[in-house]
Amino acid sequence: MLKGKLFYIIGASGVGKDSVMNELKNKLTYKEGFIFTKRFITRPNSDSAEKHIPISKSDFDYRLSNQLFALNWEANGNAYGIGIEIEYWLSKGFHVIVNGSRGYLDVAKTKYPELQSILIEVDKSILYNRLIGRNRESKEQIEPVSYTHLTLPTKRIV
């Protein structure tokens, strides 16, 4: 039985999820019962705000086949995973904060019905400029994605 709460941070690429999570890390501590988990991602670390755990596709698949991920999904040509250790942390009463995926929210809520999703949004023009500035996606990739809006049962942070 899970005692802690899972907070699932979501938002379009470039809205500032990493900045919000970094600020939360400065405010919330282990003493208060919060743990921030890192994602396993099949891409190298870069200068971006998120310091994930880079993993090869074959290593990712090995972990997946051995059920070492509590949550996993694919997006933007990469595989993403949240380690199974969150189950232990939740069972011990810790509140776990993860950087999730909007497209995987329904699956995550099925697995963790008490999950609290938090949607972060910014103005479309700010998002567009951020995505152009980080130079990870082409203009063609940014146009359709940056203007997509999902209606989700979440708390909103603007």
Side-chain angles (χ1 to χ4, degrees), residues 5-25 35-41 43 45 48-53 60 69-76 79-83 86 89 95-105 108 115-120 134 136:
K5 190 157 195 117
L6 179 61
F7 293 92
Y8 192 80
I9 310 291
I10 54 176
S13 182
V15 298
K17 295 181 302 287
D18 297 321
S19 296
V20 169
M21 290 181 70
N22 286 336
E23 187 61 29
L24 287 173
K25 284 178 194 175
I35 296 179
F36 291 80
T37 188
K38 288 187 178 184
R39 300 190 293 182
F40 290 83
I41 307 177
R43 73 168 183 244
N45 266 322
S48 70
E50 180 183 15
K51 299 302 177 207
H52 63 274
I53 301 167
F60 187 95
F69 292 124
L71 302 166
N72 68 281
W73 63 91
E74 292 196 15
N76 307 316
Y80 295 75
I82 304 294
I86 71 167
W89 297 336
H95 305 300
V96 178
I97 301 173
V98 303
N99 187 341
S101 164
R102 292 172 297 159
Y104 189 71
L105 178 60
L115 173 150
Q116 177 61 63
S117 56
I118 301 170
L119 176 64
I120 301 172
R134 74 180 187 184
R136 258 189 1 209

Side-chain angles (χ1 to χ4, degrees):
M1 178 164 186
L2 302 178
K3 299 177 195 173
K5 190 157 195 117
L6 179 61
F7 293 92
Y8 192 80
I9 310 291
I10 54 176
S13 182
V15 298
K17 295 181 302 287
D18 297 321
S19 296
V20 169
M21 290 181 70
N22 286 336
E23 187 61 29
L24 287 173
K25 284 178 194 175
N26 291 330
K27 304 282 185 205
L28 305 173
T29 68
Y30 288 104
K31 292 178 187 175
E32 295 164 321
F34 288 91
I35 296 179
F36 291 80
T37 188
K38 288 187 178 184
R39 300 190 293 182
F40 290 83
I41 307 177
T42 56
R43 73 168 183 244
N45 266 322
S46 65
D47 291 337
S48 70
E50 180 183 15
K51 299 302 177 207
H52 63 274
I53 301 167
I55 188 170
S56 70
K57 181 67 170 124
S58 61
D59 286 347
F60 187 95
D61 291 342
Y62 177 80
R63 286 174 179 263
L64 184 60
S65 67
N66 285 283
Q67 301 175 6
L68 298 178
F69 292 124
L71 302 166
N72 68 281
W73 63 91
E74 292 196 15
N76 307 316
N78 294 298
Y80 295 75
I82 304 294
I84 196 70
E85 63 273 10
I86 71 167
E87 302 255 335
Y88 179 77
W89 297 336
L90 290 166
S91 75
K92 293 296 185 182
F94 288 97
H95 305 300
V96 178
I97 301 173
V98 303
N99 187 341
S101 164
R102 292 172 297 159
Y104 189 71
L105 178 60
D106 289 340
V107 175
K109 282 193 83 81
T110 298
K111 187 165 184 179
Y112 300 97
E114 300 299 317
L115 173 150
Q116 177 61 63
S117 56
I118 301 170
L119 176 64
I120 301 172
E121 296 179 309
V122 296
D123 182 85
K124 293 174 189 175
S125 63
I126 294 171
L127 178 58
Y128 181 82
N129 289 332
R130 285 181 185 171
L131 292 174
I132 291 293
R134 74 180 187 184
N135 203 28
R136 258 189 1 209
E137 301 90 353
S138 68
K139 284 187 179 185
E140 293 76 26
Q141 291 171 310
I142 292 170
E143 287 296 334
V145 174
S146 64
Y147 295 102
T148 300
H149 184 277
L150 297 175
T151 302
L152 302 169
T154 60
K155 291 188 176 178
R156 294 183 185 274
I157 297 176
V158 180

